[in-house]
Amino acid sequence: MADESGSSGVTPQYVAAVLVVQGYVVAPEAAQAIAAALAAQVAADGPAYARLAFEAEPAGFFASLQHGRAR
Amino acid sequence: MSALHTLTLAQAAIAVRERRASAVELLDAVIARANAIQPATNAFIRIDEHLARSQAVIADSEAARGQFRGPLHGVPMAHKDMYYRTGVISSCGSRIKRDVVATATATALERLDAAGAIQFGVLNMAEFAYGPTGHNYHFGHARNPWNLDYITGGSSSGSGAAVAARASFAALGSDTGGSIRAPAAFCGVTGLKVTYGRVSRAGAMPLSFSMDTVGPLARTAEDCAMLLAALAGADPRDSTASSAPVPDYVGRLARPVAGLRVGVPRQYFSDDLDASIAKALDEARRVLAGLGCAVVPIDIPDLAAADVAGTHIIAAEAAALHGHWMRTRPQDYSQQVRARLERGLALPATRYIDALRYRGVMIDEFVRTVFSNVDVLHVPALPIATPTIAETDVTAGGAMDRTLALVTKFTRPFNFLGLPSLALPCGIQPSGIQPSEIRPSGIRPSGIRPSGMQPTGLPSGLPLGMQLVGRPFAEDVILQLGHAYQQATDWHSRAPAL
């Protein structure tokens, strides 16, 4: 696992618990694999998301797409 | 006239209009070809010959009276099995939906019908369009017609294989992370991923509503332009379908490309890039420069974060769509798809929302910094040479995950950004080189093949692909440039020997 120590918070225990809440049970090996993949992704996207302004919201995509067309 | 099944879509449509070929003759040609290649490629899930033949007879009687429904009058084609048609089964490549009869017809099919096209079958695909390789554990894997040991790419696997093998003049695919462009590149055909919202998704199986797009795979950019002209436009059944004006895509193909600024990114697209693909891209840039384009290097924003954010959006939305079936019928999913859906169930909601919030910021930055300086980006479609079916199988272990990530590395960022991209062939794997010898994973092919098939020899001669990426809703520009490139080269006219 990329970060099994838990600094990202994405541990196999977390994954198993989140899935159980949704009515879905996974084997410990599956939870470990999922946690490894998610931890790696969280580490990769974190710096990008840190640039997000407080006001940024999803609808900005559609406005930017239209604006991009008009340029 | 050439064997009818070898015509391009545009040539077939003109042949019908000029009464040099009938719709029935075209249908006979493609069905004969489909039946011939099906045992080897498994490109089709079903061929609906009876209904298509009755429609072709009607089309011919209309043509005899000088009546033509539209520019695709009498042209037969098959589509990825995820476009619903009232009264017909759309399996979506799954066990769960393999017997479910649709109660509405997809807008895309309605528009092709209105243009005169005739659907004669449905094509193989990744289960629920959630896989980039062409594996399907319910209907059998689609096989690359250039070499049956190799993947077609996915998720529009049958669309790529059937069009490449000249068993359909064109096919609808869908592209959420590269599912049109990967099979187009692996199979040596032309595939168009449209701007998000350019084509209605109503009646098409959803995978990720923020990222899904509907588009064609065909033999040429001209064919894609004809299909997009029929497909594009607003739709009251799909609130995301844009009301932006629909240009004359076909008419604009003939515009001169001299003076277009073609950007070559300095970042991201040279990472993990196979040497043979890099060489083919260099040669393509020389062709574009020879056409009068200004080919210039350009700095681009970081796409690695866009790739991850796109992964999060697809994972979360797919998991939400499949949540009920995942809880009640998990055994009916293949292991590969179930594992990917499980990841989506575990994704924190804030991560998904941040990915969506980041999207607007990123597209704004990308358009501002890139498309204020160039008209089109020229990038590889894939970083790696074609993998085998065996080495991308779920049993292949850890190397599989890395290979799967590489397959979508150059395509998914443009889904995240919502930008249009045309994938088209630009070379052939050098003769005598085993793609596995120059692939990062280094895994040898295992040689799994359908029973009764003869060995095909060394896998040289597999196609290589590139992308032309445009600003939002500039499909006309990338089709124009793709058409000019295909007038100057013949990669698109090469067909597998199958």
Side-chain angles (χ1 to χ4, degrees), chain B residues 67-85:
Chain B
Q67 297 172 353
F68 296 92
R69 298 186 183 201
L72 304 176
H73 188 95
V75 179
M77 52 187 84
H79 303 298
K80 187 175 185 178
D81 195 15
M82 54 165 274
Y83 291 93
Y84 304 150
R85 187 181 287 282

Side-chain angles (χ1 to χ4, degrees), chain B residues 19-43:
Chain B
R19 308 296 311 282
R20 288 183 285 111
S22 70
V24 169
E25 288 171 334
L26 290 179
L27 182 66
D28 286 342
V30 290
I31 286 183
R33 181 66 180 155
N35 286 324
I37 62 112
Q38 175 63 8
T41 63
N42 198 30

Side-chain angles (χ1 to χ4, degrees), chain A:
Chain A
M1 171 176 180
D3 187 8
E4 196 159 2
S5 65
S7 64
S8 70
V10 187
T11 64
Q13 295 76 21
Y14 163 82
V15 167
V18 166
L19 265 59
V20 164
V21 165
Q22 296 175 78
Y24 193 85
V25 178
V26 288
E29 318 84 72
Q32 188 157 346
I34 294 167
L38 277 183
Q41 290 174 356
V42 164
D45 68 14
Y49 294 167
R51 296 169 51 217
L52 284 174
F54 178 70
E55 294 83 1
E57 44 115 346
F61 169 72
F62 299 98
S64 294
L65 205 62
Q66 290 300 322
H67 180 63
R69 177 176 74 90
R71 287 177 73 93

Side-chain angles (χ1 to χ4, degrees), chain B residues 292 421 435:
Chain B
S421 173

Side-chain angles (χ1 to χ4, degrees), chain B residues 262-445:
Chain B
V262 177
V264 179
R266 289 192 179 93
Q267 297 85 16
Y268 192 73
F269 291 97
S270 54
D271 302 343
D272 300 308
L273 184 61
D274 178 272
S276 63
I277 299 173
K279 187 177 178 187
L281 267 284
D282 285 343
E283 179 55 36
R285 284 165 192 150
R286 278 191 283 275
V287 173
L288 295 175
L291 292 169
C293 298
V295 180
V296 295
I298 187 167
D299 292 316
I300 62 170
D302 176 28
L303 289 182
D307 188 35
V308 174
T311 305
H312 285 172
I313 292 172
I314 297 170
E317 293 182 354
L321 290 169
H322 286 270
H324 175 69
W325 287 330
M326 281 287 282
R327 284 185 286 273
T328 57
R329 304 178 62 176
Q331 74 282 359
D332 288 336
Y333 288 93
S334 68
Q335 182 183 343
Q336 198 174 46
V337 170
R338 190 169 62 241
R340 300 186 84 186
L341 290 170
E342 286 170 349
R343 286 188 195 178
L345 288 174
L347 188 73
T350 49
R351 223 70 198 182
Y352 166 65
I353 293 168
D354 272 350
L356 290 175
R357 297 200 311 137
Y358 181 53
R359 214 176 173 202
V361 173
M362 187 68 177
I363 182 66
D364 198 38
E365 180 183 1
F366 203 87
V367 168
R368 190 177 63 253
T369 60
V370 175
F371 287 117
S372 59
N373 294 303
V374 299
D375 301 296
V376 176
L377 279 183
H378 181 247
V379 297
L382 305 155
I384 57 172
T386 313
T388 64
I389 291 172
E391 70 184 320
T392 46
D393 191 86
V394 70
T395 58
M400 179 196 71
D401 272 345
R402 171 154 168 79
T403 303
L404 295 186
L406 286 173
V407 168
T408 54
K409 177 175 178 175
F410 291 171
T411 52
R412 185 160 43 212
F414 298 120
N415 294 83
F416 181 75
L417 294 168
L419 297 172
S421 173
L422 182 71
L424 58 169
C426 64
I428 295 287
Q429 188 73 41
S431 179
I433 294 178
Q434 284 270 11
S436 61
E437 291 174 4
I438 53 177
R439 182 177 317 123
S441 67
I443 298 172
R444 305 290 300 185

